């Protein structure tokens, strides 16, 4: 009986979420709904102003619009599933729906890593080679860079998802997470996952290691160029054009390093708290970063603030 039960394929999964902490469900539901609405509103407004305001039709705001659209997609692929799980005792999801959600989340996360690298290149050219900026960062080049980021992120997602669905899943079908996070899903496979782990390691180098190195080297040259500017006002103006992107990069990659670099607890009580944090940190990482991105980019940006004021100005609707 036990052998037959373990050999039967899994048709769906149970997302554990906060089932072990029912008292937290209502609080987190309200908090997540609020944060999700802020993500949709702030990123939606930023996309709108970059399209409608001709002053923002520049490479920097083109990439920023892509980033905002990406953040909306990333949260929309996971947050509704999380909210549904917080309202039901045990959230169930079919195998096919789990695969789709996993693929879309992986694709958007990978694309964001590459887009941040593209934005660093844009700032490098603007600061270090301003006379060639219009030639290097022409519209066709920017579109090609953005499309390449989306295509590479999507291709990597297809590869990892294809490898995952070929694995046999039998026996335990409980995912100790809010969503179908790929590592949590792979833990349930009743077969060798070494190929999956190796491919994920290679992907981490491509989507995390390479962009971080590229961004770091870009900012070394940017900083060296800024320090050679004779006037203090010129240095301040040059640094302000890339400070928002640098802040987003530090927050984005700093959170990733914190999530995957923190030590594991050995005692049972600490392990239980860590198990909860391992689920909550990625959840809020997937909400806080998309919520902060438009705020960081518009907080000290006079062009964006002026575009937003023009967008909501009553005179616009009277014309």
């Amino acid at each position: 009986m036990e052998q037959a039960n373990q050999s039967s394929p899994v048709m769906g999964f149970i997302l554990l979420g906060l089932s072990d902490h029912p008292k937290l469900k209502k609080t987190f539901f309200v908090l997540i709904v609020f944060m999700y609405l802020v993500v949709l509103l702030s990123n939606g407004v930023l996309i709108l102003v970059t399209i409608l305001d001709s002053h923002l039709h520049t490479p920097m705001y083109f990439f920023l619009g892509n980033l905002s659209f990406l953040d909306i997609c990333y949260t929309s692929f996971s947050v509704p599933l999380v909210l549904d799980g917080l309202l039901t005792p045990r959230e169930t999801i079919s195998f096919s729906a789990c695969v789709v959600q996993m693929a879309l989340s992986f694709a958007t996360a990978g694309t964001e890593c590459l887009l941040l690298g593209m934005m660093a290149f844009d700032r490098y050219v603007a600061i270090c080679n301003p006379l060639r900026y219009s030639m290097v960062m022409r519209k066709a080049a920017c579109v090609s860079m953005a499309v390449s980021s989306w295509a590479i992120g999507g291709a990597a997602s297809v590869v990892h998802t294809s490898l995952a669905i070929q694995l046999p899943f039998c026996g335990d079908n409980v995912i100790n997470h809010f969503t179908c996070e790929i590592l949590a899903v792979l833990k349930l496979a009743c077969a060798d996952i070494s190929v999956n782990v190796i491919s994920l390691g290679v992907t981490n180098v491509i989507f995390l290691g390479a962009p971080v190195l590229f961004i770091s080297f870009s900012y070394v040259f940017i900083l060296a160029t800024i320090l050679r500017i004779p006037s203090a006002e010129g240095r301040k103006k040059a640094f302000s054009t890339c400070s928002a992107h640098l802040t987003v990069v530090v927050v984005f990659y700093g959170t990733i390093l914190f999530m995957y670099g923190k030590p594991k607890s050995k005692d049972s009580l600490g392990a239980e708290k860590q198990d909860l944090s391992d689920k909550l940190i990625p959840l809020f990482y997937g909400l806080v970063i998309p919520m902060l991105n438009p705020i960081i980019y518009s907080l000290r940006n006079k062009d964006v603030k002026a575009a937003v004021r023009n967008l909501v100005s009553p005179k616009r609707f009277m014309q």
Side-chain angles (χ1 to χ4, degrees), residues 19-272:
S19 298
D20 296 335
H21 306 274
K23 293 182 180 179
L24 298 176
K25 284 190 171 185
K26 291 182 179 179
T27 302
F28 280 105
F29 180 86
V30 174
L31 186 59
I32 291 170
V33 167
F34 172 76
M35 294 173 71
Y36 182 50
L37 291 176
V38 173
V39 169
L40 294 179
L41 180 62
S42 58
N43 284 283
V45 169
L46 198 51
I47 292 172
L48 200 58
V49 296
T50 56
I51 293 174
L52 297 179
D53 196 309
S54 59
H55 297 94
L56 302 183
H57 291 176
T58 63
M60 182 176 73
Y61 294 109
F62 170 75
F63 288 119
L64 184 55
N66 271 267
L67 186 65
S68 292
F69 179 69
L70 186 70
D71 285 338
I72 290 176
C73 293
Y74 180 77
T75 53
S76 297
F77 293 149
S78 57
V79 169
L81 186 63
V82 173
L83 294 176
D84 189 38
L86 292 173
L87 291 176
T88 55
R90 300 192 88 184
E91 170 70 2
T92 59
I93 184 172
S94 67
F95 184 83
S96 58
C98 182
V99 168
V100 171
Q101 192 271 324
M102 178 173 60
L104 293 175
S105 296
F106 194 98
T108 50
T111 303
E112 180 154 358
C113 293
L114 297 180
L115 268 180
L116 289 174
M118 300 295 181
M119 295 172 76
F121 179 72
D122 171 70
R123 293 299 84 204
Y124 165 77
V125 178
I127 300 296
C128 300
N129 295 282
L131 298 179
R132 299 184 59 197
Y133 183 75
S134 59
M135 181 181 69
V136 175
M137 300 303 295
R138 59 191 187 278
K139 184 177 180 179
C142 294
V143 172
S144 297
M145 291 165 68
V147 170
S148 298
S149 298
W150 284 91
I152 295 172
S157 175
V158 170
V159 170
H160 289 296
T161 305
S162 300
L163 289 173
I165 62 177
Q166 292 177 23
L167 294 170
F169 292 92
C170 46
D172 188 12
N173 68 335
V174 179
I175 299 176
N176 190 18
H177 214 280
F178 289 97
T179 61
C180 290
E181 200 269 335
I182 189 166
L183 291 176
V185 173
L186 290 178
K187 289 179 181 179
L188 303 182
C190 47
D192 182 25
I193 60 170
S194 57
V195 174
N196 303 76
V197 173
I198 292 172
S199 63
L200 283 171
V202 173
T203 302
N204 286 338
V205 172
I206 297 173
F207 288 97
L208 295 176
V212 167
L213 284 175
F214 180 78
I215 292 170
S216 300
F217 279 115
S218 297
Y219 274 100
V220 167
F221 288 108
I222 289 172
L223 183 60
T225 302
I226 291 176
L227 292 176
R228 289 199 297 266
I229 298 176
S231 67
E233 185 64 27
R235 290 194 297 270
K236 181 180 179 181
K237 183 178 180 180
F239 186 75
S240 67
T241 63
C242 54
S243 59
H245 174 259
L246 186 59
T247 303
V248 169
V249 167
V250 171
V251 173
F252 182 81
Y253 288 107
T255 309
I256 291 178
L257 292 175
F258 173 77
M259 283 194 303
Y260 296 106
K262 65 182 188 299
K264 302 293 182 181
S265 178
K266 294 182 179 180
D267 64 282
S268 58
L269 184 60
E272 183 180 350

